[in-house]
Amino acid sequence: MIFPRTARYDRVMIKVNNLFLQENITSFPVDPFQIIKNNKWGLLTYSEIADEQGAWIEDIIAAFQSEDGYTIFDGTNYTIAYNDTIQNQGRIKFTLMHEIGHIYMNHLVDFDETVLTRSELTDKKYKVLENEANAFARNTLAPVMVVKALDLKTSIDVADHFGLSQAAATVRLKSLIMDYRQLLSPFIRFQREHFRQFIEAGLYAKQCLICSHHFVESDADFCPVCGYGALVNRKGVDQMIYKGYLLDDSSRAIICPCCENEHLNYEGENCKICGVTLVNKCAPTYVTGNTGLNYWEESCETKLDGDARYCVKCGNESTFFQQGLLKDWKTEKKEIEQEKEMEELLF
Ligand SMILES: [Zn+2]
Ligand SMILES: [Zn+2]
Ligand SMILES: [Zn+2]
Ligand SMILES: [Zn+2]
């Protein structure tokens, strides 16, 4: 194969998207250890090699001419060796994705293996392949279109969303425009569609300041668990997980939340066994008005999630809550906290 004069970034992008499909990656962080396992590639640490050879880590670094990692191809299978004495886990992750890049780009098959070892003769060629492997690593760990769609501007945000080290996140941001120029429109469309759920979860993540519930909803004015309108845009881990039921795309229960009837594949909103309403949605709610008089607030018909006690659009109660299928959040919060205390006592 004729040696490329400059890095083939367009080809890198095709390989990056191939990896997402082949490894079924639809969210982040990406786990290079899992990818190596799935492909049955060998994996060695510098410590293991040093032990076996009776050598120092420094000797291994010198032999591979790489402080971070190296890939060996024996004609049939690949083995990746990496420096496990490096403390920074983010850097190790980047190194492994870089080595996987060499494999995906077919570098060890298409070119003389010695090119991957730095020497004066091959220095220029080595750089071309290194640039390709680096582009592969940053675009698999944090793809351009996902970073752009989430509108991430600081390395802290990038590190947070993709589970990267600060250094790797900084590299990612620096080469964002350059990588974007390499993206042909089919790749852009592919990444947007392939990572749609992850992007939406990042864009529409909200946290309630009253009950600490986390949820994803493009335009919510009220918290679905406590009904208060104290929401902030924030991606985070849900520490309070309030009980809910599994619903299909039209907010209809998959198993009856009341009698656990599983045969619900018919039209109609009510369970044929127990009669409960199977769709969780905004319900007409009896409220106290400003004048002190009670009145019925009509349903806005918004379909809700399986854990929603309140409507995210108008704050009315939900059908599940009114039927007693979901507990009041304060009661449940107390129970969750008591359970946690018990666990701490036991372990
Ligand atoms: Zn390399
Ligand atoms: Zn809340
Ligand atoms: Zn039922
Ligand atoms: Zn409503």
Side-chain angles (χ1 to χ4, degrees), residues 71-135:
T71 301
I72 306 149
F73 182 57
D74 66 4
T76 30
N77 203 14
Y78 291 99
T79 300
I80 295 172
Y82 73 99
N83 188 352
D84 55 319
T85 64
I86 284 170
Q87 292 298 312
N88 188 334
Q89 288 305 307
R91 182 166 157 186
I92 289 179
K93 223 164 132 180
F94 192 91
T95 298
L96 293 176
M97 285 317 296
H98 171 106
E99 296 306 323
I100 292 171
H102 281 310
I103 298 174
Y104 254 78
M105 290 298 291
N106 229 22
H107 287 165
L108 289 93
V109 176
D110 290 347
F111 309 110
D112 188 345
E113 207 176 312
T114 52
V115 176
L116 282 179
T117 314
R118 214 178 321 208
S119 73
E120 275 213 51
L121 247 173
T122 59
D123 211 27
K124 227 175 159 186
K125 290 182 171 182
Y126 167 84
K127 281 239 169 73
V128 170
L129 300 187
E130 282 302 283
N131 285 342
E132 289 186 356
N134 282 335

